[in-house]
Amino acid sequence: MTTVDKPIGFGRMHRKEDARFVRGRGTYVDDVNLPGMLYGAVLRSPFAHARIVSIDTAAAQAHPKVKAVITGQTLEGLKLAWMPTLSQDTQAVLATDKVRFQGQEVAFVVAEDKYAARDALELIDVEYEPLPAVVDARRALDPDAPVIRDDKEGQTDNHIFDWGAGDEAATDAVFASAEVVVAQDVLYPRVHPAPLETCGAVADFDAVTGKLTMWCNTQAPHAHRTVYALVAGLPEHKIRVISPDVGGGFGNKVPIYPGYVCAIVGSIVTGKPVKWMEDRSENLMSTGFARDYHMRGEVAATRDGRIRALRVKVVADHGAFNGTAQPTKFPAGFFHVFTGSYDVEAAHCAVTGVYTNKAPGGVAYACSFRITEAAYLIERMVDVLAYELDMDPAELRMKNLLKPEQFPYPSPTGWEYDSGDYPRALQLALDMAGYAELRAEQASRPAGGPLMGIGISFFTEAVGAGPRKHMDILGLGMADGAELRVHPTGKAVLRISVQSQGQGHETTYAQIVAEELGIPPDDVEVVHGDTDQTPFGLGTYGSRSTPVSGAATAVVARKVRERARQVASAMLEVDPGDLEWEKGRWYVRGDHAQGRSIQEIALAAHSSLELPEGVEGHLDATTVYNPPNLTFPFGAYICVVDVDPGTGQVKVRRFVAVDDCGVRINPMIVEGQVHGGLADGIGMALMELIAFDEDGNCLGASFMDYLLPTAMECPSWELGETVTPSPHHPIGAKGVGESATVGSPAAVVNAVLDALKPHGVRHADMPLTPAHVWRAIQGRPLRT
Ligand code: CDP
């Protein structure tokens, strides 16, 4: 049974948020109801690619409950028909010239209730002239491919960017002299973050004050506010973005969606607050998806299994508008961490981004800026090499892992991994799994019977973007602020720029303050998700909260602690240099009994106590944390599967996950994060796929088709940990939220392919559904 303490600092502790969440008392966007509020609904394109001939809204306008019908033409008049994406592209708010993916926003109806709004959508008559669609990213640059973004001046094809990292010539030279070279096409198919709560907003424009208040379940309230300010030409203080309780983000709630802008315009036009909430199908077919990476990996190695070089070429499907949210310098995110956890001489990656007639995105889904794709590729390639060399995949990994003494490790593609002890983590996972016994069991299986597979994955993540010098989104540097105020009674309020979507920030950030100041976590209120109430910062995605805002919290608490030292010195009438700190208290060196608690100091700081020259009263501080480097969590995962060769059905029997995220603030929350990510991994490996037919019709726009894992598909997770603190993070913590999603798909796929090895199957693409597995056994793998 899990033990739970009431730690004053780091340790297992129930989430403070649970009190409202488990009682169903959270406040989500859809719970916001304002007097006189109207409801919006979006008319969406039935075609993936079509020219708009005409839009007739007369019948909808005549509906007795309809207050406004907004089209691209309306928005053109306001210069709002197009908006910037977070990747410096443009995206149609409501289509004017063409529709470019099925589900694209064409018109917006505002009505007295949501049913009338939806009914009125059916009264809008749009005449389309269908065009051929580009569905396969690998065909997007064919000379005869229809040009999707003909709205962009000078755009004559579907090319978005070419980007690469590493030393191509050095890599080619190693390949030319390599004893063994293996190559493999590896697809990471399009999947969807599918958060429990879909996207939505309530926009309330006050014509008297000229202030817009926007409740919206965004992961990046401050970044959104700045984009709205730039687009609308309003000062930031006239825009308040409130991101209340959010039911899961996973990257899906990073982009700005047309529905948000339409709700704002709807409120301006009608003078009333307007709510817009999308339904599940709208969320699945039109909002930021993830992955869609078509990769060709190559490994150069020695015959005895030393990996010497890696090469990869990628075609990245970004959909119809480049709506991904990557730091400006890195259009393929952090994909160049694809050398993973191995000591290689040289590496090179080249990524080409293309437009297709699909929903825009390529956003996270718990993938830390394309690291999930990178980790999957390298971990698949290592198994492909093991297959080729007929070598044990654990032995092959152990042979090539970076050694502890190599840290900080400069990678061949430009990273500096901060810390790690990889062999220790892998050995722990092997021991926990009983690897030798599992292999013995596998070897004793009679031929022709049920199959058993053991899959390993060892991943390195890079989380915590900035530093701001190298990383920005739309020119906004990736640093985050924090403000801490300790009130006279010793209770504190911490204001942070990141936003929680269920990760428990109200608990863990209070624990950081508790660790630094000794104020119990229950006495620390964490304020987040409201731009009027919190300092500027870039938001929560890519597991950056702990590495950046967690650090900001520790730093600001230390500033308060230093102020408290000055106040304590006045209280105790000693020199500040003669004071020593223990958690929650300054005392006189050499006289432990002579001290003052942080609560006593807080009261004195607000009293008439005479303070030394230059020392301000009150007990508060602010900071902006600009991370010097990313943090590099890592982990070793082992999955055991049983495969029925008759049906292709895969059952995950066991899953061992050893994670190292440096110092753990709240191990219970960390374990919850890992559990969720592992379930994600099973889903992506075995079930999840946003599929399209050749006309670009989206085939997976409901949970009947887009399958998510449930407890039925998940084993009882077996978790282990090692702790290698980050040397540059104030409390030695690294991010963890995405680790398990990054690391687990490869372990599951490697396990299934290990089971299929007797049938000569070297690779098959995700999702490994029963049909897919069965066909692979028959020697006729499906192409996703
Ligand atoms: O950015 P996001 O919050 O999604 O990810 P994260 O920084 O990895 O944190 C997820 C949750 O785990 C937060 O509540 C963290 O404070 C907590 N965590 C922790 O307790 N110890 C760590 N070393 C890392 C994260």
Side-chain angles (χ1 to χ4, degrees):
M1 201 182 104
T2 317
T3 54
V4 184
D5 317 323
K6 272 265 182 202
I8 300 187
F10 302 157
R12 308 182 81 82
M13 177 183 159
H14 282 308
R15 294 189 309 178
K16 290 166 46 152
E17 301 83 329
D18 286 346
R20 63 180 192 275
F21 289 161
V22 299
R23 294 185 180 116
R25 303 293 286 273
T27 303
Y28 298 86
V29 168
D30 209 13
D31 296 317
V32 175
N33 289 308
L34 303 179
M37 193 171 77
L38 303 173
Y39 297 80
V42 174
L43 181 72
R44 295 179 181 278
S45 166
F47 294 103
H49 201 189
R51 201 161 293 290
I52 295 177
V53 180
S54 62
I55 305 179
D56 181 353
T57 60
Q61 307 258 24
H63 189 292
K65 289 190 170 177
V66 167
K67 299 292 176 194
V69 180
I70 297 163
T71 63
Q73 221 177 3
T74 328
L75 295 182
E76 258 175 349
L78 301 166
K79 295 199 171 25
L80 285 175
W82 292 83
M83 63 179 182
T85 70
L86 296 177
S87 277
Q88 320 216 342
D89 194 3
T90 47
Q91 176 171 355
V93 177
L94 293 175
T96 47
D97 54 342
K98 286 202 307 191
V99 285
R100 294 174 169 85
F101 67 92
Q102 190 190 44
Q104 188 181 335
E105 299 78 1
V106 175
F108 189 75
V109 170
V110 182
E112 280 171 24
D113 62 63
K114 55 186 171 190
Y115 306 103
R118 293 253 165 180
D119 284 350
L121 294 182
E122 293 180 18
L123 301 174
I124 300 175
D125 193 11
V126 186
E127 195 186 328
Y128 295 100
E129 180 193 314
L131 299 167
V134 181
V135 182
D136 184 346
R138 289 158 299 193
R139 304 264 71 87
L141 297 179
D142 285 358
D144 59 346
V147 178
I148 299 167
R149 296 301 306 277
D150 46 0
D151 57 289
K152 293 178 75 166
E153 220 178 293
Q155 181 85 37
T156 54
D157 58 18
N158 295 316
H159 180 264
I160 308 177
F161 66 83
D162 282 311
W163 184 81
D167 186 333
E168 191 169 12
T171 308
D172 290 349
V174 178
F175 268 87
S177 67
E179 290 169 14
V180 181
V181 171
V182 288
Q184 183 65 54
D185 284 325
V186 177
L187 170 69
Y188 210 129
R190 177 175 281 232
V191 293
H192 200 278
L196 199 58
E197 179 204 26
T198 59
C199 298
V202 176
D204 185 15
F205 181 72
D206 184 329
V208 176
T209 61
K211 183 152 182 170
L212 169 71
T213 306
M214 181 79 174
W215 286 263
C216 176
N217 47 19
T218 167
Q219 293 177 232
H222 288 277
H224 277 207
R225 182 183 60 168
T226 299
V227 175
Y228 293 139
L230 292 172
V231 172
L234 284 174
E236 264 117 331
H237 63 265
K238 289 286 183 195
I239 304 172
R240 179 180 185 186
V241 177
I242 303 173
S243 185
D245 289 329
V246 177
F250 314 110
N252 185 237
K253 289 168 180 161
V254 174
I256 294 179
Y257 293 119
Y260 302 164
V261 180
C262 289
I264 295 171
V265 174
S267 179
I268 293 172
V269 169
T270 61
K272 304 272 187 195
V274 173
K275 179 185 281 186
W276 167 73
M277 282 303 302
E278 64 186 7
D279 65 21
R280 179 59 58 193
S281 294
E282 292 181 288
N283 180 257
L284 284 173
M285 78 192 298
S286 72
T287 62
F289 66 91
R291 324 284 188 251
D292 229 339
Y293 255 37
H294 302 255
M295 306 178 275
R296 181 164 182 79
E298 291 177 275
V299 184
T302 60
R303 202 152 287 290
D304 66 352
R306 191 165 58 78
I307 301 173
R308 296 190 54 208
L310 298 163
R311 214 159 44 185
V312 55
K313 281 197 167 33
V314 182
V315 177
D317 185 338
H318 281 239
F321 306 102
N322 187 18
T324 180
Q326 312 292 356
T328 307
K329 278 191 201 165
F330 305 106
F334 300 161
F335 183 76
H336 51 310
V337 76
F338 76 98
T339 57
S341 318
Y342 306 107
D343 188 8
V344 297
E345 292 165 43
H348 183 254
C349 67
V351 183
T352 299
V354 297
Y355 290 118
T356 60
N357 288 113
K358 299 180 193 166
V363 290
Y365 188 5
C367 90
S368 298
F369 305 112
R370 302 288 191 192
I371 292 176
T372 314
E373 290 90 327
Y376 179 68
L377 176 85
I378 177 67
E379 289 309 294
R380 254 317 17 256
M381 291 311 298
V382 171
D383 263 36
V384 166
L385 179 65
Y387 183 101
E388 182 73 20
L389 300 175
D390 200 18
M391 200 170 163
D392 181 277
E395 187 192 334
L396 182 58
R397 284 182 172 79
M398 208 46 118
K399 189 174 182 127
N400 288 285
L401 283 179
L402 291 162
K403 310 273 177 302
E405 57 275 16
Q406 287 178 273
F407 291 86
Y409 167 72
S411 91
T413 51
W415 298 102
E416 186 178 289
Y417 295 9
D418 59 350
S419 64
D421 186 343
Y422 293 177
R424 182 166 65 127
L426 180 54
Q427 193 55 55
L428 177 60
L430 294 170
D431 293 346
M432 283 173 65
Y435 188 69
E437 294 80 31
L438 286 170
R439 285 285 175 214
E441 181 193 340
Q442 190 185 38
S444 69
R445 289 284 175 109
L451 301 165
M452 171 191 173
I454 306 151
I456 304 174
S457 152
F458 197 104
F459 67 92
T460 297
E461 267 238 80
V463 298
R468 64 195 281 267
K469 189 168 148 203
H470 302 302
M471 293 173 199
D472 69 272
I473 289 194
L474 273 188
L476 302 172
M478 302 188 81
D480 284 64
E483 293 175 12
L484 180 62
R485 186 174 302 163
V486 185
H487 294 298
T489 55
K491 318 283 189 228
V493 175
L494 173 74
R495 297 171 192 278
I496 49 173
S497 54
V498 290
Q499 206 287 344
S500 177
Q501 306 106 43
Q503 299 94 320
H505 291 177
E506 289 166 40
T507 307
T508 45
Y509 290 94
Q511 288 186 268
I512 297 173
V513 173
E515 179 75 19
E516 297 295 336
L517 288 182
I519 298 174
D522 284 345
D523 287 351
V524 182
E525 158 121 328
V526 177
V527 178
H528 59 118
D530 180 343
T531 54
D532 270 11
Q533 302 282 341
T534 57
F536 187 86
L538 268 257
T540 304
Y541 36 86
S543 294
R544 65 186 297 279
S545 303
T546 303
V548 188
S549 276
T553 301
V555 168
V556 82
R558 286 174 192 179
K559 282 188 177 180
V560 166
R561 194 164 76 198
E562 278 311 303
R563 176 92 72 86
R565 179 209 284 262
Q566 303 293 337
V567 178
S569 81
M571 294 170 82
L572 295 162
E573 296 178 354
V574 293
D575 190 86
D578 291 335
L579 293 176
E580 295 274 346
W581 174 257
E582 64 180 348
K583 200 187 277 184
R585 184 173 180 268
W586 283 108
Y587 66 92
V588 180
R589 185 176 305 121
D591 186 0
H592 189 256
Q594 282 296 320
R596 292 290 182 272
S597 72
I598 190 76
Q599 290 80 5
E600 289 168 325
I601 296 169
L603 187 57
H606 292 83
S607 73
S608 56
L609 173 79
E610 196 167 326
L611 294 171
E613 187 70 25
V615 177
E616 293 177 351
H618 301 182
L619 204 50
D620 48 33
T622 64
T623 198
V624 176
Y625 187 77
N626 175 27
N629 189 7
L630 289 100
T631 65
F632 294 78
F634 57 92
Y637 290 175
I638 299 179
C639 177
V640 184
V641 297
D642 295 300
V643 180
D644 181 340
T647 63
Q649 184 79 36
V650 176
K651 182 166 173 42
V652 178
R653 190 204 300 181
R654 288 181 63 197
F655 203 110
V656 172
V658 172
D659 273 279
D660 191 323
C661 57
V663 172
R664 295 179 175 210
I665 301 157
N666 185 330
M668 182 186 263
I669 285 184
V670 169
E671 286 161 17
Q673 296 283 303
V674 173
H675 284 182
L678 295 177
D680 264 352
I682 286 186
M684 288 182 284
L686 302 180
M687 310 158 76
E688 296 179 36
L689 173 69
I690 296 281
F692 295 84
D693 70 12
E694 63 277 14
D695 295 323
N697 293 308
C698 181
L699 304 178
S702 86
F703 283 159
M704 297 290 282
D705 302 304
Y706 190 74
L707 303 180
L708 291 176
T710 66
M712 293 293 287
E713 286 78 30
C714 298
S716 189
W717 312 112
E718 300 168 58
L719 304 191
E721 71 173 270
T722 60
V723 176
T724 317
S726 167
H728 61 78
H729 190 279
I731 57 170
K734 304 180 178 186
V736 76
E738 305 186 336
S739 290
T741 308
V742 166
S744 58
V748 180
V749 171
N750 286 346
V752 175
L753 291 164
D754 184 58
L756 302 192
K757 200 174 167 195
H759 292 272
V761 183
R762 189 174 90 160
H763 177 75
D765 283 326
M766 298 186 283
L768 294 173
T769 59
H772 210 151
V773 171
W774 186 84
R775 287 190 56 141
I777 293 172
Q778 311 307 312
R780 293 182 288 127
L782 279 173
R783 185 93 183 133
T784 313

